Amino acid sequence: MRYVYIDSVESGQYLGRTIFSSNGAVLLSEGVQLTVYMITTLRRIGVTMLYIKDEHTEDVEITDVVSEENKRAVMQKLGEMLQSIRSGKDFNTKSIGLSVDRLLEDVMQNREVLLQLSDIRTKDNMQYVHALNVCTMAALTGLNMGLTQTQIKELSVGALLHDVGKVELITDDSSEDMRKHHTWRGFELLKSKREFSLLIAHVAFQHHEALDGTGIPRGLDEEQIHLYPKIVAVANTYDNLLFNPETGSKTLPHEAVEMITALAGTKLDRECVIQFLRSVSVYPTGVSVRMSNREVGVVVGQHRGLPGRPVVRVVKKEDEELSITEFDLAKHTTVFIESVLM
């Protein structure tokens, strides 16, 4: 399959990845043949990128760190929780914890798989996909840092709920009362739940703090910020670079990796960044790339230890016949990816 802009998708092509709604329900299933109406509707609901099936890469599959079933379960429970908060009702912390447990089972089983944030975002589901992505990235980073099972569970719940204060956010930008910021609101909401560790509430509270003291809401320095929000800050920054929900701007993964690396030691914790980058795909499977040998191909494989050196498949037509060549950049050490073609 290939990852392409929706403007280049044509009627008759087949969808390569399932698209979910905010509550985890399936909007369009993998394998459905796209029509003009479907493509128009996807544009209308905010979809900008799609995975499509391609005859030259039909054997290529993306291995997910978290199964579609457990993604749907997490998004559903998160949606139910946020709806309860909007309605002024109590929410079920146990169901959130159980859904995170299932997610962590997948993460533990697939911890050697490079994470590719391949879920298709819409205006409706972006908040939930973002929470799911941050949770998964934080859990993988925690594993890489050697945290205990209990710590990873606390970290993951905090990561999933890091933006919960936005549900009740007061949008009076003229006010200087930082207690109206979503970090304060999230902290106050989560600390009232006895079933949650206070550290979970501090993830919501501190994930916008920066090592150099320029963060919000309290301008804490490096020593005052707990490890969990340091980890979540890296994951949150990375996912917001890939897709900024406020501006709609997007950064390609390899560019986001460079930007995250540049922030290490000043805004973001250096060790957290290092361990985070061990688990993230720099050139996700399905993207088209141009290499330094001038060949253009599609990324079809990954290397856990060398995320910047994927396997690239080049398909060319020679004398009315197709020629298929694969460049494993872990072995072709003099060949580099020069650019990503979208």
Side-chain angles (χ1 to χ4, degrees):
M1 67 182 73
R2 292 188 297 117
Y3 192 48
V4 299
Y5 278 118
I6 194 169
D7 290 342
S8 65
V9 176
E10 298 177 356
S11 175
Q13 292 182 313
Y14 293 88
L15 185 65
R17 299 282 289 178
T18 299
I19 303 176
F20 300 105
S21 68
S22 60
N23 64 1
V26 175
L27 288 179
L28 279 180
S29 297
E30 174 185 341
V32 68
Q33 189 172 23
L34 296 169
T35 65
V36 172
Y37 174 76
M38 289 178 183
I39 296 170
T40 302
T41 301
L42 291 174
R43 284 197 189 98
R44 180 175 55 80
I45 64 174
V47 174
T48 56
M49 304 293 297
L50 280 181
Y51 279 93
I52 61 168
K53 292 185 178 294
D54 177 272
E55 61 178 333
H56 304 311
T57 54
E58 60 184 0
D59 61 318
V60 178
E61 296 292 336
I62 297 176
T63 303
D64 281 326
V65 173
V66 180
S67 68
E68 285 194 358
E69 178 184 0
N70 285 335
K71 286 179 183 178
R72 289 198 300 270
V74 170
M75 290 172 69
Q76 179 184 0
K77 296 305 179 185
L78 181 60
E80 291 173 357
M81 173 185 168
L82 298 184
Q83 184 56 45
S84 294
I85 294 171
R86 292 188 188 100
S87 303
K89 300 176 182 177
D90 195 14
F91 60 88
N92 189 336
T93 56
K94 184 177 181 180
S95 66
I96 289 290
L98 290 175
S99 64
V100 170
D101 283 338
R102 290 194 291 270
L103 179 146
L104 290 178
E105 288 176 5
D106 283 350
V107 170
M108 292 294 293
Q109 183 175 346
N110 300 311
R111 62 183 300 178
E112 296 303 316
V113 175
L114 283 178
L115 179 66
Q116 303 184 68
L117 303 179
S118 56
D119 291 300
I120 300 170
R121 307 192 200 212
T122 69
K123 294 175 183 176
D124 177 53
N125 74 11
M126 66 176 64
Q127 178 184 10
Y128 302 88
V129 172
H130 173 67
L132 177 66
N133 287 348
V134 173
C135 177
T136 305
M137 289 187 283
L140 286 167
T141 305
L143 278 172
N144 292 341
M145 298 185 77
L147 300 188
T148 67
Q149 187 172 351
T150 298
Q151 289 173 320
I152 292 173
K153 172 68 177 290
E154 290 177 332
L155 168 64
S156 300
V157 172
L160 183 68
L161 305 180
H162 73 283
D163 275 343
V164 68
K166 287 187 175 181
V167 177
E168 298 182 325
L169 180 61
I170 297 174
T171 56
D172 180 7
D173 294 334
S174 64
S175 172
E176 296 181 359
D177 183 1
M178 290 306 296
R179 289 183 181 273
K180 294 181 179 182
H181 193 267
H182 75 269
T183 53
W184 279 98
R185 301 297 294 260
F187 175 70
E188 294 294 334
L189 185 66
L190 295 177
K191 80 171 186 178
S192 67
K193 308 302 292 185
R194 294 182 180 179
E195 302 90 340
F196 284 159
S197 160
L198 189 59
L199 292 177
I200 291 174
H202 271 86
V203 172
F205 201 15
Q206 297 183 350
H207 71 277
H208 280 300
E209 298 288 357
L211 299 192
D212 59 7
T214 60
I216 53 177
R218 295 189 294 166
L220 303 179
D221 61 31
E222 180 176 1
E223 298 301 321
Q224 296 172 304
I225 307 170
H226 190 271
L227 176 61
Y228 294 174
K230 286 180 180 177
I231 293 172
V232 171
V234 176
N236 183 57
T237 302
Y238 180 79
D239 197 65
N240 279 334
L241 285 171
L242 294 187
F243 189 93
N244 188 310
E246 296 179 2
T247 65
S249 62
K250 303 174 188 64
T251 304
L252 294 172
H254 69 283
E255 296 171 333
V257 164
E258 291 180 4
M259 296 170 76
I260 287 288
T261 303
L263 294 173
T266 54
K267 304 295 184 184
L268 302 173
D269 182 87
R270 186 179 303 278
E271 183 61 21
C272 291
V273 170
I274 291 172
Q275 298 306 325
F276 166 81
L277 294 178
R278 287 176 55 194
S279 296
V280 177
S281 173
V282 178
Y283 299 102
T285 301
V287 300
S288 298
V289 297
R290 177 181 284 112
M291 295 177 286
S292 57
N293 59 5
R294 312 315 299 165
E295 299 281 11
V296 173
V298 177
V299 175
V300 297
Q302 304 286 335
H303 293 294
R304 163 72 176 180
L306 297 168
R309 309 293 292 168
V311 181
V312 180
R313 180 177 297 175
V314 176
V315 180
K316 293 190 293 187
K317 194 171 185 179
E318 298 178 349
D319 298 327
E320 301 302 319
E321 293 187 0
L322 287 178
S323 168
I324 300 178
T325 308
E326 290 193 356
F327 292 85
D328 186 340
L329 299 190
K331 298 176 181 178
H332 291 78
T333 56
T334 59
V335 179
F336 301 87
I337 291 177
E338 288 190 341
S339 60
V340 174
L341 311 174
M342 301 302 291

